Amino acid sequence: MSKKTLVIGVIGADVHAVGNKILYHAFTEAGFEVVNLGVMVSQEEYIAAAIESNADAIVVSSLYGHGELDCRGMREKCDEAGLKGILLYVGGNIVVGKQPFDEVEARFRTMGFDRVFPPGTAPETTIQALKEDLQMTN
């Protein structure tokens, strides 16, 4: 079975690089091919990398609280670019202030994200979700 390819990065003006590096290493060690775009990534950069790498999923990170603004319209842009149905994950501190996570998750799901992870989610949780959603055997 060929490796599944992920495009990861930190969206918007966010420059939190440490978590991104941790995810890169965790996903690589779990057997994924990972295209790491680094920090300050635009929606268009994620989409272009996903097309170029024939990615199976896009994993968006955000820690500075503006993820909701940065992610708005991303699913529609993916669809328009020919990535209809690509797995779309987001995680981190993705909204401003303290908000009930179930409400945050519902908003991001409405925006077209398949999975939404709260701050402090262990990489293993995301890896397990990816394996389930990409129908990979352990």
Side-chain angles (χ1 to χ4, degrees), residues 12-107:
D14 197 330
V15 295
H16 292 92
V18 174
N20 183 55
K21 290 282 190 188
I22 291 169
L23 288 177
Y24 170 78
H25 290 292
F27 293 153
T28 300
E29 287 184 24
F32 293 98
E33 187 72 37
V34 181
V35 178
N36 186 359
L37 300 175
V39 299
M40 299 181 72
V41 180
S42 70
Q43 291 184 13
E44 290 77 13
E45 290 171 310
Y46 282 103
I47 292 167
I51 291 170
E52 185 175 323
S53 65
N54 195 26
D56 299 288
I58 296 173
V59 181
V60 176
S61 295
S62 181
L63 284 179
Y64 74 149
H66 297 285
E68 188 169 2
L69 293 173
D70 293 335
C71 290
R72 197 168 286 152
M74 190 164 182
R75 171 59 73 190
E76 291 79 8
K77 288 181 182 174
C78 286
D79 292 351
E80 290 169 10
L83 296 173
K84 199 171 185 101
I86 191 167
L87 207 54
L88 198 54
Y89 284 11
V90 64
N93 185 22
I94 52 179
V95 295
V96 174
K98 298 275 184 196
Q99 299 180 35
F101 182 71
D102 59 336
E103 294 175 13
V104 173
E105 181 179 27
R107 287 202 308 274

Side-chain angles (χ1 to χ4, degrees), residues 119-133:
T121 299
E124 294 78 16
T125 301
T126 308
I127 290 166
Q128 185 59 41
L130 284 163
K131 288 182 175 179
E132 288 173 17
D133 290 345

